[in-house]
Amino acid sequence: MEMDEAPARLRCKPSWLLNKVSARAHRLIKETMAAAGGHAYHFAILAALDEFGPDSQVQIGQRCGIDQSDMHAMLNELAGQGHVERTSDPADRRRNLITLTASGRRRLEELDTTLTGVQHDILDALSATERDTLTALLTRILG
Amino acid sequence: MEMDEAPARLRCKPSWLLNKVSARAHRLIKETMAAAGGHAYHFAILAALDEFGPDSQVQIGQRCGIDQSDMHAMLNELAGQGHVERTSDPADRRRNLITLTASGRRRLEELDTTLTGVQHDILDALSATERDTLTALLTRILG
DNA sequence: GACCAATCTTGGTCAGGCCAAGAGTACATC
DNA sequence: GATGTACTCTTGGCCTGACCAAGATTGGTC
């Protein structure tokens, strides 16, 4: 895991830095969520439902950047845990209407607290203002 | 690919932003390198050899953060393209001494130019100073 | 009714990052 | 100089996230 001094040509490439930092963050989050019996996608889905209300699977997927097939699997898990209900939309029976349950709303807050804590660990080396700067820059890049 | 407005709780998580930005960058680089008949790892390895001289596979791997088994595969490719020579180290016959060839040095410059160009595309939305800020922050995080 | 479009489901692929066992070599210690 | 430990390379694998495609069902249009 520990790395010797990386070549300068590598260290100066933002893409390389992004990749390394993202990988580290991803691993931390994965472990944390696994320990909480969850998945990073769960948080994204619950957050979308909380903010935009009941919706179809495609819609949620487009909001969160999750593929339909992955969405399917995640919703199976969330429904199994009772955090979400999947009912056939009476207004358009092609769709499944996904709705947040009370348990799901509690779960969302729980995961949010956990994840916010992990952010702190990831950005340990930065001050509060620097964290804001980083967030702002990344947001601009995503455009 | 195009995403609707993501939930606020998601958008404010640096880990999520990092992941998305890194994914986009990774995809761009992968395509670019594939078009050039190469691989992102090739650049890392060549850069390490250029900066630190001939070395063993483990050493190069530790410098670049590449696993030994992946290193093995990458060196097969690089050696096959004549950019690197793999000889048994006479001083310690457990080791393979990897040395950069003239062709490899040219290839390194070529890939460096290409990759530097891609960085520009990735960080299109940022000014020069902002790019430096981002690079500095990420470097600090990697610590 | 015939056709096209949208949605969900299912069953894959692919690459990156990682792990583990085996075989060969070096070295230290006894 | 024999033995045990540590190191290196090779090989073959696993897991996850991200993606893609085809089929079945339903909605809407002409």
Side-chain angles (χ1 to χ4, degrees):
Chain A
M1 202 68 235
E2 311 76 30
M3 227 162 38
D4 286 9
E5 193 71 8
R9 291 182 157 178
L10 217 47
R11 272 183 290 123
C12 75
K13 299 273 181 299
S15 64
W16 188 77
L17 294 165
L18 277 167
N19 188 27
K20 286 295 175 197
V21 172
S22 167
R24 175 185 298 185
H26 189 271
R27 202 176 30 217
L28 244 183
I29 288 188
K30 186 185 157 193
E31 288 170 0
T32 310
M33 296 303 276
H39 191 288
Y41 280 167
H42 291 183
F43 171 73
I45 296 171
L46 295 176
L49 290 173
D50 181 57
E51 183 167 341
F52 300 104
D55 227 329
S56 74
Q57 301 187 184
V58 227
Q59 259 296 352
I60 305 174
Q62 279 172 353
R63 289 193 201 284
C64 303
I66 303 179
D67 185 84
Q68 285 202 31
S69 59
D70 302 320
M71 177 65 61
H72 184 70
M74 291 302 118
L75 286 179
N76 285 345
E77 297 181 11
L78 284 171
Q81 297 169 345
H83 298 134
V84 130
E85 267 193 1
R86 177 155 45 182
T87 63
S88 185
D89 186 346
D92 183 343
R93 291 173 43 229
R94 290 173 298 184
R95 300 185 178 182
N96 288 339
L97 251 198
I98 311 297
T99 54
L100 199 53
T101 66
S103 146
R105 204 163 270 110
R106 283 196 304 274
R107 177 65 160 169
L108 171 60
E109 299 307 331
E110 187 184 323
L111 294 182
D112 200 341
T113 307
T114 307
L115 282 184
T116 303
V118 178
Q119 308 301 313
H120 195 282
D121 295 345
I122 296 170
L123 305 183
D124 197 31
L126 303 187
S127 72
T129 13
E130 287 171 329
R131 293 176 198 188
D132 292 345
T133 306
L134 179 67
T135 305
L137 290 177
L138 291 174
T139 303
R140 292 250 316 278
I141 296 177
L142 265 193
Chain B
M1 203 65 231
E2 309 78 28
M3 227 161 39
D4 286 8
E5 193 70 8
R9 292 185 149 162
L10 217 47
R11 272 184 289 125
C12 76
K13 300 272 181 301
S15 64
W16 188 76
L17 293 166
L18 277 166
N19 187 28
K20 287 294 174 196
V21 173
S22 168
R24 174 185 298 185
H26 189 269
R27 174 186 246 168
L28 244 184
I29 288 188
K30 187 185 157 193
E31 288 170 359
T32 310
M33 295 304 274
H39 190 289
Y41 280 167
H42 291 184
F43 172 73
I45 296 171
L46 295 176
L49 289 172
D50 180 58
E51 183 167 339
F52 300 104
D55 226 330
S56 74
Q57 302 186 184
V58 227
Q59 259 296 353
I60 304 174
Q62 280 173 352
R63 289 193 201 283
C64 302
I66 302 179
D67 185 82
Q68 285 201 30
S69 58
D70 302 321
M71 177 65 60
H72 184 69
M74 291 301 118
L75 286 179
N76 284 345
E77 298 180 10
L78 283 171
Q81 298 170 342
H83 298 134
V84 132
E85 267 193 0
R86 176 155 47 181
T87 62
S88 186
D89 185 346
D92 183 343
R93 291 176 39 232
R94 291 172 299 184
R95 301 185 178 182
N96 287 340
L97 252 198
I98 311 297
T99 55
L100 199 53
T101 65
S103 145
R105 204 163 270 111
R106 283 194 304 273
R107 176 66 160 169
L108 171 60
E109 300 307 332
E110 188 184 320
L111 294 182
D112 200 340
T113 306
T114 305
L115 282 183
T116 303
V118 178
Q119 308 300 314
H120 195 282
D121 296 344
I122 296 171
L123 305 183
D124 197 32
L126 303 187
S127 72
T129 12
E130 287 170 329
R131 292 175 199 188
D132 292 346
T133 306
L134 180 67
T135 305
L137 290 177
L138 292 172
T139 304
R140 293 250 316 278
I141 296 177
L142 266 193

